[in-house]
Amino acid sequence: MTATLRTLKNGVRVVCDPMPGLETLALSVVAGRGAAYEDPGRSGWSHLLEHMVFKGAGQRSARDIVEVIESAGGSINAATGYERTSFQVRALKGGLDLGMDVIADLLRRPTLDPADLAREKQVVAQEIAEAADAPDDYVFDLIQRASWGDHPVGRPILGSDATVEAATVEALSDWRAALYAADRLVVSATGAVEEAELMAAAERAFGDLPATPGEAVPAAAAFVGGPQAEARKLEQSHLVFMLPACGSRDQDYFALRIFAEVLGGGMSSRLFQEAREKRGLAYNIDAYADTYADHGALGIYAGCAASDAVETAKVCAGEVEKLVAHIDDAELARAKAQLKAHMFMAREQPLSRAEQGAGQVLLFDRLYAPRELAAEVDAVTAQDVARLGRRLLADGHAATAVLGAKTSLKAGEAFDKTLFSAA
């Protein structure tokens, strides 16, 4: 069956994507706003608000919210990103109305009690501390700062102790109205759903939600680049390198995905074979496309012994340079097959499929059939990958983050010099 996109009179968009044969459904209500829309004083508020709405909403307590869903065989969750905030319910067939009602309460009628807020600030403070204590998490906060500087995407989604502590019930209520306004909301359901039932439920839940001007759309982040390094007594050093690339709306998006796949997307990738299999430098090493609507980057992560950090950095830079210069036909074909497999496998999971539909609508105001996406992947040529490669190196510098023993801290400089010393 074909997925459909409809729009309520107030601008709420509704995606219905039935999956015949399923006895379960996935419902995602996604707001096209997140941490990227926060000014410095409100850093972390989108994530804090996501926590707070689960403390009580409508006529339900925090316990009631989860019990009413779980008693019907379902589960409920939420996630805050830089460009969107998502509320998700998995349910048995027939659970759509209940899931929609609960999510609507969370978005529209949260209690936002001052005593709950005081307690939740402590919880989020522990979450911030936990992330700082986890080196393979914290190093990615460092690379965000190195890559995007003072732009909101350069700050942690969790915010800081100071900005979280500054939030008040009144301020969070205003932030909620801006974040979850009708014109930036997508209701997306997959699995055992019917369009008439979904449209009726969406209209009841969100049909009278006002469109609020809210916050101004931030400018696309400009790649800053430069080093971030912190010494810690760790058994392993953590390295992340980033090069400026393109966003999800860019013509080179799929070329970037293919470049990342060939470079470090799996066990047959260049980085895995060279750094791990041939040299034994790293157990974990991979490359990835870190993309937003209008900007993005190519990322590389490696975990290695401190004594191997500089050499690992040089290998990473060398493999980027080689791939910019040439990609062979077999690699290109393999990367295309892997990328299509990832996309199609995700579509076999109802929640991933619901999120994918909402993401397409928020980015492009339309849905893409799987065959269209596969055609986009298949259309990428070696020349497209080469053009993308030139974009990666055009700025003449990288963003680097290193966390580990002092002997590893020169790895960022080694990556940058290896890649750009001839420029």
Side-chain angles (χ1 to χ4, degrees), residues 56-179:
Q59 300 302 311
R60 298 184 180 95
S61 67
R63 182 168 181 168
D64 292 338
I65 289 168
V66 293
E67 280 193 347
V68 71
I69 294 292
E70 293 179 359
S71 295
S75 61
I76 187 168
N77 204 354
T80 301
Y82 282 107
E83 295 187 322
R84 64 193 64 159
T85 306
S86 177
F87 293 84
Q88 308 152 352
V89 166
R90 290 285 278 121
L92 294 172
K93 185 177 182 179
L96 178 66
D97 283 343
L98 175 62
M100 191 78 77
D101 288 346
V102 172
I103 292 179
D105 278 345
L106 296 179
L107 269 65
R108 304 193 63 183
R109 292 172 284 274
T111 305
L112 298 183
D113 179 75
D116 288 335
L117 178 58
R119 286 190 293 269
E120 206 59 27
K121 286 178 179 180
Q122 293 179 309
V123 172
V124 173
Q126 291 304 308
E127 191 175 358
I128 292 170
E130 181 182 23
D133 284 345
D136 52 349
D137 284 342
Y138 183 63
V139 73
F140 286 97
D141 287 343
L142 294 180
I143 198 63
Q144 288 295 116
R145 189 187 313 157
S147 299
W148 310 113
D150 293 332
H151 191 278
V153 297
R155 299 191 292 264
I157 289 172
L158 299 180
S160 67
D161 288 341
T163 58
V164 169
E165 182 58 36
T168 65
V169 164
E170 293 77 17
L172 280 182
S173 182
D174 291 341
W175 189 240
R176 180 199 61 79
L179 220 60

Side-chain angles (χ1 to χ4, degrees), residues 12 125 145 181 199 233 297 300 315-316 365:
V12 174
R145 189 187 313 157
M199 292 302 298
K233 292 182 179 180
I300 299 169
V315 169
C316 291
D365 200 25

